[in-house]
mmCIF file with all atom_site columns, all heavy atoms in Angstrom:
data_model
loop_
_atom_site.group_PDB
_atom_site.id
_atom_site.type_symbol
_atom_site.label_atom_id
_atom_site.label_alt_id
_atom_site.label_comp_id
_atom_site.label_asym_id
_atom_site.label_entity_id
_atom_site.label_seq_id
_atom_site.pdbx_PDB_ins_code
_atom_site.Cartn_x
_atom_site.Cartn_y
_atom_site.Cartn_z
_atom_site.occupancy
_atom_site.B_iso_or_equiv
_atom_site.pdbx_formal_charge
_atom_site.auth_seq_id
_atom_site.auth_comp_id
_atom_site.auth_asym_id
_atom_site.auth_atom_id
_atom_site.pdbx_PDB_model_num
ATOM 1   N N   . LEU A 1 75 ? 85.857  93.012 124.198 1.00 0.00 ? 75 LEU A N   1
ATOM 2   C CA  . LEU A 1 75 ? 86.864  92.331 123.396 1.00 0.00 ? 75 LEU A CA  1
ATOM 3   C C   . LEU A 1 75 ? 87.993  91.816 124.281 1.00 0.00 ? 75 LEU A C   1
ATOM 4   O O   . LEU A 1 75 ? 88.459  90.691 124.123 1.00 0.00 ? 75 LEU A O   1
ATOM 5   C CB  . LEU A 1 75 ? 87.404  93.274 122.319 1.00 0.00 ? 75 LEU A CB  1
ATOM 6   C CG  . LEU A 1 75 ? 88.426  92.698 121.354 1.00 0.00 ? 75 LEU A CG  1
ATOM 7   C CD1 . LEU A 1 75 ? 87.841  91.525 120.582 1.00 0.00 ? 75 LEU A CD1 1
ATOM 8   C CD2 . LEU A 1 75 ? 88.900  93.788 120.404 1.00 0.00 ? 75 LEU A CD2 1
ATOM 9   N N   . LYS A 1 76 ? 88.410  92.624 125.225 1.00 0.00 ? 76 LYS A N   1
ATOM 10  C CA  . LYS A 1 76 ? 89.477  92.232 126.138 1.00 0.00 ? 76 LYS A CA  1
ATOM 11  C C   . LYS A 1 76 ? 89.078  90.992 126.952 1.00 0.00 ? 76 LYS A C   1
ATOM 12  O O   . LYS A 1 76 ? 89.882  90.087 127.157 1.00 0.00 ? 76 LYS A O   1
ATOM 13  C CB  . LYS A 1 76 ? 89.820  93.402 127.058 1.00 0.00 ? 76 LYS A CB  1
ATOM 14  C CG  . LYS A 1 76 ? 91.247  93.424 127.513 1.00 0.00 ? 76 LYS A CG  1
ATOM 15  C CD  . LYS A 1 76 ? 91.519  94.787 128.153 1.00 0.00 ? 76 LYS A CD  1
ATOM 16  C CE  . LYS A 1 76 ? 92.948  94.918 128.539 1.00 0.00 ? 76 LYS A CE  1
ATOM 17  N NZ  . LYS A 1 76 ? 93.850  95.352 127.527 1.00 0.00 ? 76 LYS A NZ  1
ATOM 18  N N   . GLU A 1 77 ? 87.821  90.945 127.391 1.00 0.00 ? 77 GLU A N   1
ATOM 19  C CA  . GLU A 1 77 ? 87.334  89.787 128.157 1.00 0.00 ? 77 GLU A CA  1
ATOM 20  C C   . GLU A 1 77 ? 87.277  88.530 127.288 1.00 0.00 ? 77 GLU A C   1
ATOM 21  O O   . GLU A 1 77 ? 87.596  87.436 127.754 1.00 0.00 ? 77 GLU A O   1
ATOM 22  C CB  . GLU A 1 77 ? 85.956  90.082 128.756 1.00 0.00 ? 77 GLU A CB  1
ATOM 23  C CG  . GLU A 1 77 ? 85.985  91.085 129.885 1.00 0.00 ? 77 GLU A CG  1
ATOM 24  C CD  . GLU A 1 77 ? 86.814  90.632 131.065 1.00 0.00 ? 77 GLU A CD  1
ATOM 25  O OE1 . GLU A 1 77 ? 86.761  89.445 131.439 1.00 0.00 ? 77 GLU A OE1 1
ATOM 26  O OE2 . GLU A 1 77 ? 87.552  91.480 131.614 1.00 0.00 ? 77 GLU A OE2 1
ATOM 27  N N   . LEU A 1 78 ? 86.848  88.667 126.034 1.00 0.00 ? 78 LEU A N   1
ATOM 28  C CA  . LEU A 1 78 ? 86.823  87.518 125.128 1.00 0.00 ? 78 LEU A CA  1
ATOM 29  C C   . LEU A 1 78 ? 88.223  86.976 124.872 1.00 0.00 ? 78 LEU A C   1
ATOM 30  O O   . LEU A 1 78 ? 88.432  85.766 124.860 1.00 0.00 ? 78 LEU A O   1
ATOM 31  C CB  . LEU A 1 78 ? 86.178  87.912 123.792 1.00 0.00 ? 78 LEU A CB  1
ATOM 32  C CG  . LEU A 1 78 ? 84.666  88.021 123.777 1.00 0.00 ? 78 LEU A CG  1
ATOM 33  C CD1 . LEU A 1 78 ? 84.199  88.614 122.460 1.00 0.00 ? 78 LEU A CD1 1
ATOM 34  C CD2 . LEU A 1 78 ? 84.022  86.674 124.014 1.00 0.00 ? 78 LEU A CD2 1
ATOM 35  N N   . ILE A 1 79 ? 89.156  87.862 124.667 1.00 0.00 ? 79 ILE A N   1
ATOM 36  C CA  . ILE A 1 79 ? 90.536  87.446 124.421 1.00 0.00 ? 79 ILE A CA  1
ATOM 37  C C   . ILE A 1 79 ? 91.139  86.827 125.679 1.00 0.00 ? 79 ILE A C   1
ATOM 38  O O   . ILE A 1 79 ? 91.919  85.880 125.602 1.00 0.00 ? 79 ILE A O   1
ATOM 39  C CB  . ILE A 1 79 ? 91.383  88.640 123.922 1.00 0.00 ? 79 ILE A CB  1
ATOM 40  C CG1 . ILE A 1 79 ? 90.881  89.093 122.557 1.00 0.00 ? 79 ILE A CG1 1
ATOM 41  C CG2 . ILE A 1 79 ? 92.853  88.278 123.844 1.00 0.00 ? 79 ILE A CG2 1
ATOM 42  C CD1 . ILE A 1 79 ? 91.499  90.377 122.069 1.00 0.00 ? 79 ILE A CD1 1
ATOM 43  N N   . HIS A 1 80 ? 90.742  87.337 126.826 1.00 0.00 ? 80 HIS A N   1
ATOM 44  C CA  . HIS A 1 80 ? 91.292  86.857 128.096 1.00 0.00 ? 80 HIS A CA  1
ATOM 45  C C   . HIS A 1 80 ? 91.020  85.365 128.316 1.00 0.00 ? 80 HIS A C   1
ATOM 46  O O   . HIS A 1 80 ? 91.752  84.698 129.041 1.00 0.00 ? 80 HIS A O   1
ATOM 47  C CB  . HIS A 1 80 ? 90.718  87.687 129.248 1.00 0.00 ? 80 HIS A CB  1
ATOM 48  C CG  . HIS A 1 80 ? 91.514  87.582 130.490 1.00 0.00 ? 80 HIS A CG  1
ATOM 49  N ND1 . HIS A 1 80 ? 91.036  86.959 131.609 1.00 0.00 ? 80 HIS A ND1 1
ATOM 50  C CD2 . HIS A 1 80 ? 92.770  87.999 130.785 1.00 0.00 ? 80 HIS A CD2 1
ATOM 51  C CE1 . HIS A 1 80 ? 91.954  87.009 132.556 1.00 0.00 ? 80 HIS A CE1 1
ATOM 52  N NE2 . HIS A 1 80 ? 93.015  87.619 132.075 1.00 0.00 ? 80 HIS A NE2 1
ATOM 53  N N   . PHE A 1 81 ? 89.982  84.823 127.662 1.00 0.00 ? 81 PHE A N   1
ATOM 54  C CA  . PHE A 1 81 ? 89.665  83.404 127.764 1.00 0.00 ? 81 PHE A CA  1
ATOM 55  C C   . PHE A 1 81 ? 90.836  82.529 127.332 1.00 0.00 ? 81 PHE A C   1
ATOM 56  O O   . PHE A 1 81 ? 91.066  81.464 127.885 1.00 0.00 ? 81 PHE A O   1
ATOM 57  C CB  . PHE A 1 81 ? 88.433  83.089 126.923 1.00 0.00 ? 81 PHE A CB  1
ATOM 58  C CG  . PHE A 1 81 ? 88.123  81.620 126.833 1.00 0.00 ? 81 PHE A CG  1
ATOM 59  C CD1 . PHE A 1 81 ? 87.632  80.938 127.928 1.00 0.00 ? 81 PHE A CD1 1
ATOM 60  C CD2 . PHE A 1 81 ? 88.327  80.928 125.656 1.00 0.00 ? 81 PHE A CD2 1
ATOM 61  C CE1 . PHE A 1 81 ? 87.352  79.583 127.849 1.00 0.00 ? 81 PHE A CE1 1
ATOM 62  C CE2 . PHE A 1 81 ? 88.052  79.580 125.569 1.00 0.00 ? 81 PHE A CE2 1
ATOM 63  C CZ  . PHE A 1 81 ? 87.560  78.906 126.669 1.00 0.00 ? 81 PHE A CZ  1
ATOM 64  N N   . PHE A 1 82 ? 91.600  82.981 126.335 1.00 0.00 ? 82 PHE A N   1
ATOM 65  C CA  . PHE A 1 82 ? 92.696  82.188 125.810 1.00 0.00 ? 82 PHE A CA  1
ATOM 66  C C   . PHE A 1 82 ? 94.027  82.443 126.519 1.00 0.00 ? 82 PHE A C   1
ATOM 67  O O   . PHE A 1 82 ? 95.019  81.799 126.223 1.00 0.00 ? 82 PHE A O   1
ATOM 68  C CB  . PHE A 1 82 ? 92.876  82.453 124.309 1.00 0.00 ? 82 PHE A CB  1
ATOM 69  C CG  . PHE A 1 82 ? 91.840  81.780 123.457 1.00 0.00 ? 82 PHE A CG  1
ATOM 70  C CD1 . PHE A 1 82 ? 90.734  82.456 123.015 1.00 0.00 ? 82 PHE A CD1 1
ATOM 71  C CD2 . PHE A 1 82 ? 91.979  80.450 123.111 1.00 0.00 ? 82 PHE A CD2 1
ATOM 72  C CE1 . PHE A 1 82 ? 89.782  81.842 122.228 1.00 0.00 ? 82 PHE A CE1 1
ATOM 73  C CE2 . PHE A 1 82 ? 91.037  79.816 122.324 1.00 0.00 ? 82 PHE A CE2 1
ATOM 74  C CZ  . PHE A 1 82 ? 89.932  80.516 121.889 1.00 0.00 ? 82 PHE A CZ  1
ATOM 75  N N   . VAL A 1 83 ? 94.082  83.403 127.431 1.00 0.00 ? 83 VAL A N   1
ATOM 76  C CA  . VAL A 1 83 ? 95.324  83.709 128.144 1.00 0.00 ? 83 VAL A CA  1
ATOM 77  C C   . VAL A 1 83 ? 95.528  82.667 129.233 1.00 0.00 ? 83 VAL A C   1
ATOM 78  O O   . VAL A 1 83 ? 94.684  82.488 130.108 1.00 0.00 ? 83 VAL A O   1
ATOM 79  C CB  . VAL A 1 83 ? 95.297  85.132 128.745 1.00 0.00 ? 83 VAL A CB  1
ATOM 80  C CG1 . VAL A 1 83 ? 96.533  85.391 129.568 1.00 0.00 ? 83 VAL A CG1 1
ATOM 81  C CG2 . VAL A 1 83 ? 95.172  86.170 127.644 1.00 0.00 ? 83 VAL A CG2 1
ATOM 82  N N   . LEU A 1 84 ? 96.662  81.984 129.190 1.00 0.00 ? 84 LEU A N   1
ATOM 83  C CA  . LEU A 1 84 ? 96.937  80.922 130.159 1.00 0.00 ? 84 LEU A CA  1
ATOM 84  C C   . LEU A 1 84 ? 97.933  81.341 131.226 1.00 0.00 ? 84 LEU A C   1
ATOM 85  O O   . LEU A 1 84 ? 98.234  80.555 132.117 1.00 0.00 ? 84 LEU A O   1
ATOM 86  C CB  . LEU A 1 84 ? 97.448  79.676 129.443 1.00 0.00 ? 84 LEU A CB  1
ATOM 87  C CG  . LEU A 1 84 ? 96.469  79.040 128.453 1.00 0.00 ? 84 LEU A CG  1
ATOM 88  C CD1 . LEU A 1 84 ? 97.108  77.874 127.739 1.00 0.00 ? 84 LEU A CD1 1
ATOM 89  C CD2 . LEU A 1 84 ? 95.191  78.630 129.143 1.00 0.00 ? 84 LEU A CD2 1
ATOM 90  N N   . GLU A 1 85 ? 98.456  82.540 131.166 1.00 0.00 ? 85 GLU A N   1
ATOM 91  C CA  . GLU A 1 85 ? 99.419  83.009 132.163 1.00 0.00 ? 85 GLU A CA  1
ATOM 92  C C   . GLU A 1 85 ? 98.685  83.570 133.374 1.00 0.00 ? 85 GLU A C   1
ATOM 93  O O   . GLU A 1 85 ? 98.761  84.744 133.688 1.00 0.00 ? 85 GLU A O   1
ATOM 94  C CB  . GLU A 1 85 ? 100.335 84.081 131.554 1.00 0.00 ? 85 GLU A CB  1
ATOM 95  C CG  . GLU A 1 85 ? 101.237 83.540 130.488 1.00 0.00 ? 85 GLU A CG  1
ATOM 96  C CD  . GLU A 1 85 ? 102.139 84.623 129.935 1.00 0.00 ? 85 GLU A CD  1
ATOM 97  O OE1 . GLU A 1 85 ? 101.982 85.804 130.287 1.00 0.00 ? 85 GLU A OE1 1
ATOM 98  O OE2 . GLU A 1 85 ? 103.006 84.279 129.125 1.00 0.00 ? 85 GLU A OE2 1
ATOM 99  N N   . ARG A 1 86 ? 97.939  82.707 134.058 1.00 0.00 ? 86 ARG A N   1
ATOM 100 C CA  . ARG A 1 86 ? 97.163  83.113 135.213 1.00 0.00 ? 86 ARG A CA  1
ATOM 101 C C   . ARG A 1 86 ? 97.351  82.084 136.321 1.00 0.00 ? 86 ARG A C   1
ATOM 102 O O   . ARG A 1 86 ? 98.169  81.181 136.218 1.00 0.00 ? 86 ARG A O   1
ATOM 103 C CB  . ARG A 1 86 ? 95.686  83.244 134.838 1.00 0.00 ? 86 ARG A CB  1
ATOM 104 C CG  . ARG A 1 86 ? 95.454  84.338 133.805 1.00 0.00 ? 86 ARG A CG  1
ATOM 105 C CD  . ARG A 1 86 ? 94.023  84.452 133.452 1.00 0.00 ? 86 ARG A CD  1
ATOM 106 N NE  . ARG A 1 86 ? 93.717  83.457 132.422 1.00 0.00 ? 86 ARG A NE  1
ATOM 107 C CZ  . ARG A 1 86 ? 92.526  83.241 131.935 1.00 0.00 ? 86 ARG A CZ  1
ATOM 108 N NH1 . ARG A 1 86 ? 91.511  83.918 132.364 1.00 0.00 ? 86 ARG A NH1 1
ATOM 109 N NH2 . ARG A 1 86 ? 92.329  82.354 131.002 1.00 0.00 ? 86 ARG A NH2 1
ATOM 110 N N   . SER A 1 87 ? 96.558  82.193 137.358 1.00 0.00 ? 87 SER A N   1
ATOM 111 C CA  . SER A 1 87 ? 96.679  81.291 138.497 1.00 0.00 ? 87 SER A CA  1
ATOM 112 C C   . SER A 1 87 ? 96.229  79.872 138.122 1.00 0.00 ? 87 SER A C   1
ATOM 113 O O   . SER A 1 87 ? 95.489  79.664 137.165 1.00 0.00 ? 87 SER A O   1
ATOM 114 C CB  . SER A 1 87 ? 95.841  81.812 139.664 1.00 0.00 ? 87 SER A CB  1
ATOM 115 O OG  . SER A 1 87 ? 94.476  81.782 139.318 1.00 0.00 ? 87 SER A OG  1
ATOM 116 N N   . LYS A 1 88 ? 96.661  78.918 138.921 1.00 0.00 ? 88 LYS A N   1
ATOM 117 C CA  . LYS A 1 88 ? 96.317  77.522 138.665 1.00 0.00 ? 88 LYS A CA  1
ATOM 118 C C   . LYS A 1 88 ? 94.808  77.260 138.739 1.00 0.00 ? 88 LYS A C   1
ATOM 119 O O   . LYS A 1 88 ? 94.295  76.477 137.946 1.00 0.00 ? 88 LYS A O   1
ATOM 120 C CB  . LYS A 1 88 ? 97.085  76.615 139.619 1.00 0.00 ? 88 LYS A CB  1
ATOM 121 C CG  . LYS A 1 88 ? 98.554  76.550 139.265 1.00 0.00 ? 88 LYS A CG  1
ATOM 122 C CD  . LYS A 1 88 ? 99.320  75.630 140.167 1.00 0.00 ? 88 LYS A CD  1
ATOM 123 C CE  . LYS A 1 88 ? 100.787 75.687 139.766 1.00 0.00 ? 88 LYS A CE  1
ATOM 124 N NZ  . LYS A 1 88 ? 101.607 74.867 140.620 1.00 0.00 ? 88 LYS A NZ  1
ATOM 125 N N   . PRO A 1 89 ? 94.070  77.878 139.666 1.00 0.00 ? 89 PRO A N   1
ATOM 126 C CA  . PRO A 1 89 ? 92.616  77.657 139.647 1.00 0.00 ? 89 PRO A CA  1
ATOM 127 C C   . PRO A 1 89 ? 91.950  78.137 138.355 1.00 0.00 ? 89 PRO A C   1
ATOM 128 O O   . PRO A 1 89 ? 91.014  77.494 137.864 1.00 0.00 ? 89 PRO A O   1
ATOM 129 C CB  . PRO A 1 89 ? 92.112  78.459 140.847 1.00 0.00 ? 89 PRO A CB  1
ATOM 130 C CG  . PRO A 1 89 ? 93.266  78.555 141.770 1.00 0.00 ? 89 PRO A CG  1
ATOM 131 C CD  . PRO A 1 89 ? 94.473  78.605 140.876 1.00 0.00 ? 89 PRO A CD  1
ATOM 132 N N   . VAL A 1 90 ? 92.418  79.226 137.782 1.00 0.00 ? 90 VAL A N   1
ATOM 133 C CA  . VAL A 1 90 ? 91.841  79.724 136.526 1.00 0.00 ? 90 VAL A CA  1
ATOM 134 C C   . VAL A 1 90 ? 92.183  78.767 135.387 1.00 0.00 ? 90 VAL A C   1
ATOM 135 O O   . VAL A 1 90 ? 91.332  78.472 134.539 1.00 0.00 ? 90 VAL A O   1
ATOM 136 C CB  . VAL A 1 90 ? 92.339  81.157 136.220 1.00 0.00 ? 90 VAL A CB  1
ATOM 137 C CG1 . VAL A 1 90 ? 91.874  81.618 134.857 1.00 0.00 ? 90 VAL A CG1 1
ATOM 138 C CG2 . VAL A 1 90 ? 91.869  82.109 137.300 1.00 0.00 ? 90 VAL A CG2 1
#
Side-chain angles (χ1 to χ4, degrees):
L75 183 60
K76 210 168 184 85
E77 289 299 319
L78 283 172
I79 294 171
H80 198 248
F81 173 71
F82 284 97
V83 175
L84 298 176
E85 293 181 353
R86 296 180 276 176
S87 65
K88 288 182 183 178
V90 174

